[in-house]
Amino acid sequence: MTRDLRFPGAVVAVLVVVAGVSAYPLLRYASGEIVLAVAAGALLSMLNVLLGFLAIERSFEKSYTTFLKYVIGGMGVRLLLMLGGMLLLIVAVRVHALALMVSMLVFYVIYLAMEIAYIQQKMSAKNRD
């Protein structure tokens, strides 16, 4: 089974575009602590969506019930992992909590929309075949 790597490429492209757009204001007006927290939040959200992509790809050709278990159940597991990562970053590394959470939220919303669109696209293609 070959994986369609356009989705991970789009995820990286979104990260690069948002980083490019936000680089000047962040580097000009924010402290190094905030820049680090924003970058950590972006990377944590990116890891989350890539794990979601793997769950989708792994379960797509299986039964509908298995697919839902992987995708919906996996979403719960991924949210717990993100919470653990966020707590680790705030408590142990002492990153700026608000910047981390806002960054994670912004990227999470963007990536969730991309993930839903990707699932819809795969389902449409499967129904056409």
Side-chain angles (χ1 to χ4, degrees), residues 2 5 16-17 63 71 75 93-94 98 114-116 123:
T2 61
L5 298 180
V16 168
V17 168
S63 72
V71 174
M75 187 178 292
V93 181
R94 311 239 333 116
L98 182 61
M114 289 175 66
E115 192 174 340
I116 291 168
M123 288 293 189

Side-chain angles (χ1 to χ4, degrees), residues 22-23 35 55 75 79 81 110 116 122-123:
S22 62
V35 172
M75 187 178 292
L79 285 174
L81 287 172
I110 293 168
I116 291 168
K122 282 190 75 84
M123 288 293 189

Side-chain angles (χ1 to χ4, degrees), residues 48-76:
N48 175 55
V49 76
L50 292 177
L51 289 174
F53 167 74
L54 291 176
I56 292 165
E57 288 296 309
R58 182 176 178 98
S59 64
F60 191 73
E61 294 298 327
K62 297 189 168 123
S63 72
Y64 184 70
T65 305
T66 303
F67 176 74
L68 285 178
K69 285 179 185 176
Y70 270 78
V71 174
I72 304 299
M75 187 178 292

Side-chain angles (χ1 to χ4, degrees), residues 4-112:
D4 182 7
L5 298 180
R6 286 180 292 182
F7 182 77
V11 167
V12 171
V14 165
L15 180 67
V16 168
V17 168
V18 173
V21 169
S22 62
Y24 177 76
L26 278 173
L27 294 174
R28 174 87 169 126
Y29 300 108
S31 68
E33 178 186 15
I34 290 176
V35 172
L36 176 67
V38 168
L43 292 175
L44 199 55
S45 291
M46 187 173 84
L47 176 63
N48 175 55
V49 76
L50 292 177
L51 289 174
F53 167 74
L54 291 176
I56 292 165
E57 288 296 309
R58 182 176 178 98
S59 64
F60 191 73
E61 294 298 327
K62 297 189 168 123
S63 72
Y64 184 70
T65 305
T66 303
F67 176 74
L68 285 178
K69 285 179 185 176
Y70 270 78
V71 174
I72 304 299
M75 187 178 292
V77 170
R78 291 185 291 138
L79 285 174
L80 288 174
L81 287 172
M82 281 183 62
L83 176 64
M86 182 180 70
L87 289 174
L88 179 70
L89 287 168
I90 292 171
V91 173
V93 181
R94 311 239 333 116
V95 299
H96 192 275
L98 182 61
L100 175 68
M101 289 188 291
V102 168
S103 171
M104 283 177 58
L105 179 64
V106 167
F107 278 100
Y108 180 79
V109 168
I110 293 168
Y111 288 150
L112 183 60

